[in-house]
């Protein structure tokens, strides 16, 4: 079974090397561990998604053995996921639908923070730091030269990437400020890099920005612990319940 899965996976990866929209399918076997399948999709409707899943899973002979299904809740799945899981159960009757709790946590945090204009502005500014450095190899090299760090870019479906940005800015704020000063004062930098550095330097000195930075630095540390537990393959209802109870002091 393991050899069959590995060979099939290799064939599919070669087959789907294209510029089409891709989806990742993860199979968790009790004895064999996790296997990831990369596939492509043209039809993003519930029927199209279901057909891709059926095609990729058909060769494994899992009709009676597939006991659960879960989806990450990303934009392409947000409307169709309930219908997809119903269509899948027609073929895999034992595949009970399980919510992706880690993504549910992402959605809750995103909703709460976006409901407040000042907090929304704070996280938008943070996202800009990541884009500023990662979009230019020259800026990124300067950042690593001074801080030995790299500011991560935001991933819309993973709130923990915002947590990483908060930690990076909080722990390296002074050094990141030096990067902006160097870009502003040294010759050889393009106009866009200079004026954006001026604005980001103002942001680092902004009173409201510095009010929210330590607050979310403290809060998101605890959220990261919960997120990692929800993402763990060893998680169960008991460990998840305990994790939420441990966050009650927030």
């Amino acid at each position: 079974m393991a050899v069959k899965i590995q060979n099939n996976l290799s064939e599919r990866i070669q087959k789907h090397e294209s510029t089409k929209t891709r989806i990742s399918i993860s199979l968790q076997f009790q004895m064999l561990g996790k296997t990831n399948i990369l596939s492509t999709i043209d039809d993003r409707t519930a029927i199209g998604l279901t057909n891709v899943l059926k095609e990729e899973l058909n060769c494994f002979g899992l009709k009676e053995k597939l006991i659960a299904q879960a989806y990450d809740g990303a934009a392409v799945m947000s409307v169709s996921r309930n219908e997809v899981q119903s269509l899948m159960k027609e073929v895999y009757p034992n595949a009970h639908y399980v919510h992706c709790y880690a993504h549910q946590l992402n959605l809750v945090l995103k909703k709460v923070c976006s409901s407040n204009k000042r907090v929304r502005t704070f996280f938008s500014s943070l996202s800009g730091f990541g884009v500023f450095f990662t979009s230019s190899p020259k800026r990124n090299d300067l950042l690593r030269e001074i801080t030995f760090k790299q500011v991560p870019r935001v991933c819309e479906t993973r709130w923990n990437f915002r947590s990483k940005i908060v930690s990076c800015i909080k722990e390296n704020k002074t050094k990141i400020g030096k990067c902006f000063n160097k870009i502003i004062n040294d010759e050889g930098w393009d106009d866009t890099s200079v004026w954006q550095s001026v604005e980001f330097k103002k942001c680092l000195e902004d009173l409201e920005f510095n009010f929210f930075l330590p607050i979310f630095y403290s809060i998101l540390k605890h959220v990261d612990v919960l997120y990692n537990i929800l993402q763990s393959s060893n998680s169960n209802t008991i460990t998840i319940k305990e994790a939420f109870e441990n966050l009650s002091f927030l």
Side-chain angles (χ1 to χ4, degrees):
M1 183 66 164
V3 174
K4 180 180 178 181
I5 292 173
Q6 188 63 45
N7 290 341
N8 191 278
L9 176 60
S10 298
E11 292 174 2
R12 274 161 167 64
I13 290 175
Q14 294 174 4
K15 175 183 176 182
H16 296 306
E17 285 294 329
S18 66
T19 58
K20 294 183 179 179
T21 301
R22 296 183 179 184
I23 62 172
S24 177
I25 305 169
S26 179
L27 296 176
Q28 181 73 46
F29 294 90
Q30 187 159 356
M31 301 299 294
L32 300 175
K34 184 182 290 186
T35 296
N36 294 314
I37 300 173
L38 186 64
S39 187
T40 59
I41 184 169
D42 295 315
D43 180 4
R44 297 189 182 187
T45 65
I47 294 176
L49 289 164
T50 303
N51 288 337
V52 171
L53 292 173
K54 288 179 181 178
E55 179 185 349
E56 297 293 352
L57 297 177
N58 184 55
C59 61
F60 298 135
L62 302 175
K63 186 170 184 179
E64 303 298 330
K65 299 176 182 178
L66 190 64
I67 61 173
Q69 54 177 315
Y71 306 97
D72 68 0
V76 70
M77 294 298 300
S78 58
V79 176
S80 303
R81 63 184 173 192
N82 290 330
E83 193 173 350
V84 171
Q85 61 99 2
S86 297
L87 293 171
M88 287 296 291
K89 285 204 72 172
E90 293 177 3
V91 180
Y92 301 96
N94 298 324
H96 299 289
Y97 176 58
V98 180
H99 290 279
C100 177
Y101 293 110
H103 192 76
Q104 293 295 322
L105 175 62
N106 285 333
L107 293 176
V108 169
L109 290 170
K110 184 176 181 179
K111 182 67 175 179
V112 170
C113 291
S114 63
S115 64
N116 184 291
K117 180 180 178 181
R118 295 165 66 190
V119 174
R120 186 169 64 247
T121 301
F122 168 74
F123 280 105
S124 295
S125 299
L126 281 177
S127 301
F129 283 94
V131 173
F132 176 78
F133 286 108
T134 58
S135 62
S136 167
K138 185 178 179 181
R139 298 177 205 150
N140 209 31
D141 288 343
L142 175 64
L143 178 69
R144 284 185 290 185
E145 177 186 329
I146 294 177
T147 68
F148 302 102
K149 300 287 183 180
Q150 184 168 342
V151 179
R153 295 188 71 156
V154 168
C155 176
E156 289 301 321
T157 58
R158 294 189 179 184
W159 186 267
N160 65 320
F161 276 76
R162 288 178 173 81
S163 175
K164 291 178 181 178
I165 294 178
V166 170
S167 296
C168 183
I169 300 297
K170 176 67 172 63
E171 295 169 1
N172 301 277
K173 182 183 166 187
T174 301
K175 292 181 179 179
I176 292 174
K178 289 180 179 179
C179 290
F180 293 134
N181 284 331
K182 192 171 182 62
I183 293 173
I184 294 169
N185 297 319
D186 289 3
E187 296 182 359
W189 290 94
D190 60 278
D191 292 341
T192 300
S193 294
V194 173
W195 74 259
Q196 286 184 345
S197 293
V198 171
E199 295 304 315
F200 281 120
K201 189 171 182 292
K202 289 179 182 178
C203 184
L204 287 179
E205 298 168 351
D206 181 71
L207 183 62
E208 191 165 278
F209 182 88
N210 284 285
F211 171 77
F212 284 121
L213 187 61
I215 291 177
F216 282 103
Y217 178 73
S218 177
I219 292 175
L220 293 177
K221 276 187 173 181
H222 300 290
V223 174
D224 282 345
V225 174
L226 176 58
Y227 183 86
N228 291 333
I229 292 173
L230 294 175
Q231 287 283 74
S232 172
S233 59
N234 297 321
S235 291
N236 53 52
T237 54
I238 296 175
T239 57
I240 292 174
K241 182 175 181 293
E242 291 177 347
F244 274 102
E245 289 176 348
N246 290 335
L247 288 178
S248 61
F249 65 91
L250 292 176

